[in-house]
Amino acid sequence: MPTIKTLNLKAAILATTFSMTTVLSGCAVSTSTDADTSAETNIQYKASGDLGTIIERADGAVSIVNTTQKTVEGRVEGLGDLSHASIVYSRDEQFAYVFGRDGGLTKVDILNQSIENRIIQAGNSIGGAISQDGKLVAVSNYTPGGVKVFNAETLELVVDIPAIYTDENGEQKQSKTVGLVDAPGQKFVFSLFEGNQTWIADFSASATSSNAAPKITKLKNTGKQPYDALISPDGRYYIAGLFGQDGLALLDLWHPEKGSKIILPNYGKGEARLPVYKMPHLEGWAVAGNYAFVPAVGRHSVLVIDMNTWTQIREIPVYGQPVFVMARPDAREIWVNFSFPKNDTLQIIDAESFELNKTLTPGKAVLHMEFTPRGEEVWVSVRDEDTVRIYNTANYEEVTSLKALKPSGIFFTSRAHRIGL
């Protein structure tokens, strides 16, 4: 059961009242009575900072876990198709917004372990984001494309951004949208897969007027077929991975008027790519010092980018095609998992020497990793063994494991306070 802290507010309020009146009047005695505070006595509060969720993709459910106790607190079902699902959290860490592959958007109360609200907002969605002020939730869609933005409290539609572009034949079409992130200044940034563009939706005016439409900045020809994107931890740089050409698309959000530019233009040039079984995920932006670590598409390597010059300085050979390349919270190591058929393995890279520190084999189908907020442990979902393994990141030893049905994404509530997650 969840940790429950019961506070005797009567005692607390009386103590506070006595203290304040003593300060103000020197010798006055509080006039508060039992009747004043009886209604508030024994109100129960539950903490959420220790909690997280695990997507159980086959059952359309999420398990609610406690990261300190390493226990499963409960389970919420009825969330639809979670074969490619992600989660963002409300600012108070009580609500998880679950983005399902079937276009479902579900608001889950993780304290009371219940569904607060659920809508089907599209036919096929790929992820979402929550605004800087926590009042807007945006969803990125494959079918019919575009981005929809909802009121975070009610899930009522605020605005539909259809992502219309003009193709090479002059026809207007709607594009799939990918790489949706929140950015400082009450903005959402996303890319158009077929449209080869990056758009910035600025909702800052909406904060002062309920009728204000977002300002949309459209950056065209930013790179062919962006498939995913990430934003730097400080919210300044947006990088989109490109499937249709070599290189990555970089946008400086401090200076969007300068447009997007291609970095690493010679990456993979003239080389045949391996078959891509699963597109890399760029979420997480593995940054250590002045270096960014990103997965190479169709190659068994991790690329190291110097963020001062935005040039590639190293290509680190790894076990397979990387999917997630994630920095430990202290940025000392980079943890990597891989796509099929080598998806039973994790490799850990030293962020200073760029050498491999360790190779682990948690089991069949390692789909995701999530570090505890300060990085002393990492939780690893092992789908085909119905298990989540928890490792000590200092010595790489397994601490314990939890059972979960076909686990995939793991999301801790600490994400509520990080840009882009």
Side-chain angles (χ1 to χ4, degrees), residues 100-131:
R101 194 60 187 261
D102 56 0
L105 170 60
T106 310
K107 184 179 180 181
V108 174
D109 183 335
I110 62 171
L111 291 179
N112 293 304
Q113 302 176 8
S114 62
I115 293 177
E116 177 83 2
N117 198 356
R118 173 173 166 77
I119 60 172
I120 300 296
Q121 56 84 38
N124 184 345
S125 60
I126 195 62
I130 190 164
S131 61

Side-chain angles (χ1 to χ4, degrees), residues 245-246 265-273 299:
Q245 69 178 91
D246 297 328
N266 295 317
Y267 148 58
K269 199 174 186 65
E271 297 181 13
R273 288 178 175 170
R299 303 173 72 166

Side-chain angles (χ1 to χ4, degrees), residues 203-267:
F203 285 81
S204 58
S206 304
T208 56
S209 171
S210 59
N211 296 321
K215 176 186 176 184
I216 307 292
T217 300
K218 302 177 180 179
L219 302 168
K220 299 182 179 180
N221 301 317
T222 52
K224 293 181 180 178
Q225 295 180 312
Y227 63 86
D228 196 8
L230 50 76
I231 190 168
S232 56
D234 61 5
R236 176 171 181 176
Y237 296 107
Y238 179 86
I239 289 185
L242 302 175
F243 192 67
Q245 69 178 91
D246 297 328
L248 304 165
L250 170 69
L251 174 62
D252 182 351
L253 293 171
W254 287 10
H255 300 287
E257 72 282 358
K258 295 182 179 179
S260 179
K261 67 177 182 180
I262 301 296
I263 61 173
L264 279 59
N266 295 317
Y267 148 58

Side-chain angles (χ1 to χ4, degrees), residues 314-345:
R314 188 71 68 92
E315 182 170 356
I316 304 171
V318 289
Y319 176 69
Q321 292 184 34
V323 177
F324 284 102
V325 176
M326 303 177 71
R328 204 171 65 184
D330 64 357
R332 186 67 184 84
E333 291 183 333
I334 310 299
W335 288 56
V336 185
N337 73 331
F338 304 99
S339 68
F340 178 84
K342 296 188 172 185
N343 60 358
D344 63 342
T345 296

Side-chain angles (χ1 to χ4, degrees), residues 328-330 332-333 335 348 350 357-358 360 371-372 374-379 390-399:
R328 204 171 65 184
D330 64 357
R332 186 67 184 84
E333 291 183 333
W335 288 56
I348 299 102
D350 187 297
N357 274 349
K358 188 73 174 180
L360 301 174
F371 292 97
T372 49
R374 298 198 181 193
E376 75 281 1
E377 292 175 347
V378 61
W379 292 38
I390 303 172
Y391 290 94
N392 181 316
T393 56
N395 58 23
Y396 313 114
E397 293 182 356
E398 184 175 335
V399 177

Side-chain angles (χ1 to χ4, degrees), residues 10 16 18 51 74 79-80 104 110 132 166 180 202 217 232 258 264 269 273 290 296 321 330 332 346 364 369 372 378:
K10 173 184 174 182
T16 302
F18 177 80
L51 301 183
L79 307 183
I110 62 171
Q132 185 177 41
T166 303
L180 171 66
D202 183 347
T217 300
S232 56
K258 295 182 179 179
L264 279 59
K269 199 174 186 65
R273 288 178 175 170
N290 292 320
Q321 292 184 34
D330 64 357
R332 186 67 184 84
L346 286 173
K364 295 178 65 177
M369 302 163 281
T372 49
V378 61

